[in-house]
Amino acid sequence: MAEQIGPVLSANIVLGMLGRKVAAGQELTMAETLMAFTEMAKTRMDSYGPSPANMQIKLMPLPEDVRGVLANYTGV
C-alpha cells in the first residue's frame, strides 16, 4: 500500500528545525526565538478558524421589504 504525502506546511518545517536545535542542547538566536513565537501564534490562530484577513465575505442580497423601503425613499 502506498503512503500518502501531505502538503508541506511552513509551520511544521520551522518548528521541527527549531525543535531539533533545542533538543541538541543549542541556544536559539533572537531571530529563531521570534520565528518560534510567530509559528506558535499562527498555529494557535489556525485552531480557531480564519482570521479577519483570511475570511471570505459573502454578500447577502437585501430582503424584499428593505428594498421596498429604500425604493420608497428614492421616489421610484
Side-chain angles (χ1 to χ4, degrees), residues 1-6:
M1 184 175 275
E3 186 178 327
Q4 276 190 324
I5 298 174

Side-chain angles (χ1 to χ4, degrees), residues 42 45-46 49-57:
K42 188 167 76 170
M45 280 186 57
D46 290 343
S51 69
N54 299 344
M55 289 181 181
Q56 297 293 323
I57 298 175

